[in-house]
Every structure is written in C-alpha cells, then in structure tokens.
Amino acid sequence: MGGRIGQNGVMSSIFGIGVRGRRGADKAAPPAPTDRRPRLLGQPVDHLPARLPQAKRGRRMRITVVGEEVLATPCKEVTELGTKELKTLIDDMHATNEIANGVGLAANQVGLDLRIFVYDCEDAFGVRNVGHVINPVITSTSGEQVIEEHEGCLSVPGAAALVTRPRVAVCEGVDLRGNPLRIEGVGMFARCLLHETDHLDGRLYLDHLSARERRRAMREMEAERDETWATWDTHARELGK
Ligand code: ZN
C-alpha cells in the first residue's frame, strides 16, 4: 500500500491518518494501548531502527502495475517454510517497499504468485508495526466502525481514492519459519492488512470503487506515474540500491 507517513515523496503528502478522512462512529473502538513500543511480527520490542536490517539487506525488485495478470489472480499458498529463498524474498520485499515509501507490499506486486506480504506501517495510535505474513487470512473486522480515507497502492503509482474500510482488522497466518501469527491492526494499519490480503486474493483497492471513481483514479495514475517512478529511482540511489 502506498503512502508511508513521515517520508518524503509524491505519495506521502496525500495519505495519512485523518488527512482528508472522515471517521464513522467510534463508540466501540479499542482503547489506546498502554504499551506504545513498536511491534515486530505483532510482538512489542524495545527498539526498531529507522532503516530495517531486512530492507538494508534486500535488493530492489520491479513493482508490477495494474493491468498485469499477476495482480488480478489469487496467489498460491506457500508450502515450503524456513528456506533461505523465503528469507531472501522477504528481505527483497522490505527493500522494495522502503524504496517506494510504501506501508505494505504483496508478493504479486513483485511478480510472484505467492501468499506473502510485508508491512511497515503506523497504526491509529502512532505505534509502528513491522513484519511479514505468510498465507494470511482476515479472521475478523469490526465492520460497524468504518473509516473513509484516502488509500493508494504502489501498483497504481501516483493515484489515490477514498476507500471505506473497517477500523479494526485481525490477520492470521505464519511467519517465515512457520510460527503462527495473529496481527491486529487499528486505523491505517487495519487498512494495510486488508489492502495487502486483498492483493493476494487478486483484488486491488480500485475494485472497491465505483466505475466512475475508478476511471478518475486511472487518469490520475496516467498523469502522476512517471513522476512517482522517478521519485523511487532517486530514493533507491540515495539508499545505495
Ligand atoms: Zn497495493
């Protein structure tokens, strides 16, 4: 998903919690957590470096664009866990996500038919969440508390549209070693979990829009795509990728 908060770049100025957003009823929203430490794979940790070691190690991959078949096809379950190849792929996906200032990236966005996504995303309370999920399933959402907020996608570069999503989402899957994961997201992070799991089912945020709004987003992408890609190229050079 596009629009990492607090980063430079074309996308980041138009996304963010509360930016041009309208919130629905919040009565049953979960309370702010007392533990505000960052979370790695759903578990609080004392420190996360600004630049993740995974992203430092990883190589840049090409990000696929709307219209490519791999983005419109449900991805296959990952059956081989704990391999060196899987670890390298997750590093590469983190690196690619960092270069594009993304908050999340799914495997079919780098051309691979596998149910994997990575994320580096702040939640509604400003808590940074980092990790990956393999074979993710959304196991619950709180559907009454929806948020209508701008959403973007690295595979629809430069465009954004209002998408209504639940405020809270729980995503379950496994990590690269096969350990079970249960990741709960609130606000932007819930949006990220839903957006990335959608990708692996062959859906883009564009598929949540009216035909008219979809055409508008596609025109916006046509106008902004080259500048967005140029921003990524510059950022990649700055990061030595
Ligand atoms: Zn996306």
Side-chain angles (χ1 to χ4, degrees):
M1 192 167 89
R4 190 177 190 174
I5 303 156
Q7 294 278 331
N8 293 321
V10 177
M11 307 285 286
S12 58
S13 60
I14 51 174
F15 302 121
I17 303 294
V19 176
R20 295 199 291 175
R22 290 204 301 273
R23 291 185 179 201
D26 230 13
K27 280 175 222 146
T34 49
D35 188 342
R36 300 294 183 97
R37 288 181 294 169
R39 288 172 179 242
L40 179 64
L41 296 167
Q43 299 301 320
V45 291
D46 288 333
H47 176 70
L48 274 178
R51 281 206 72 198
L52 299 173
Q54 298 92 321
K56 276 190 186 175
R57 284 193 301 263
R59 296 163 308 160
R60 184 183 189 184
M61 300 178 84
R62 185 185 76 86
I63 296 179
T64 52
V65 183
V66 54
E68 294 187 45
E69 189 59 31
V70 71
L71 287 173
T73 311
C75 292
K76 290 197 188 81
E77 295 266 320
V78 177
T79 51
E80 271 201 73
L81 298 160
T83 65
K84 189 165 166 282
E85 289 74 21
L86 189 57
K87 182 170 182 291
T88 302
L89 171 61
I90 287 166
D91 287 349
D92 292 349
M93 288 173 66
H94 272 294
T96 305
N97 188 53
E98 180 188 49
I99 287 165
N101 293 319
V103 295
L105 184 74
N108 49 351
Q109 294 187 275
V110 291
L112 297 172
D113 176 18
L114 291 169
R115 296 187 73 83
I116 305 172
F117 70 78
V118 300
Y119 59 89
D120 183 352
C121 183
E122 284 192 1
D123 67 15
F125 311 109
V127 173
R128 186 182 179 197
N129 287 268
V130 168
H132 62 269
V133 186
I134 296 173
N135 301 333
V137 178
I138 298 294
T139 51
S140 76
T141 57
S142 61
E144 313 81 49
Q145 309 153 14
V146 296
I147 312 176
E148 190 182 38
E149 211 164 47
H150 281 82
E151 187 166 317
C153 178
L154 303 181
S155 294
V156 192
L162 279 174
V163 181
T164 302
R165 301 271 196 188
R167 177 168 157 78
V168 183
V170 175
C171 182
E172 295 186 45
V174 295
D175 71 8
L176 59 86
R177 292 177 192 86
N179 300 308
L181 293 174
R182 183 186 182 279
I183 313 288
E184 180 171 325
V186 182
M188 178 62 92
F189 187 41
R191 183 173 294 271
C192 172
L193 296 172
L194 293 161
H195 178 117
E196 303 311 330
T197 305
D198 264 359
H199 268 301
L200 301 177
D201 291 330
R203 271 196 307 274
L204 297 175
Y205 81 88
L206 299 174
D207 300 325
H208 292 277
L209 305 178
S210 66
R212 182 190 181 131
E213 183 59 6
R214 185 186 170 106
R215 284 195 297 275
R216 186 207 56 74
M218 290 298 285
R219 283 195 300 274
E220 189 174 20
M221 179 185 81
E222 298 288 334
E224 303 292 335
R225 181 178 50 197
D226 291 352
E227 192 182 335
T228 303
W229 281 340
T231 305
W232 297 353
D233 289 344
T234 303
H235 196 206
R237 279 194 297 277
E238 287 166 1
L239 295 170
K241 303 282 184 186

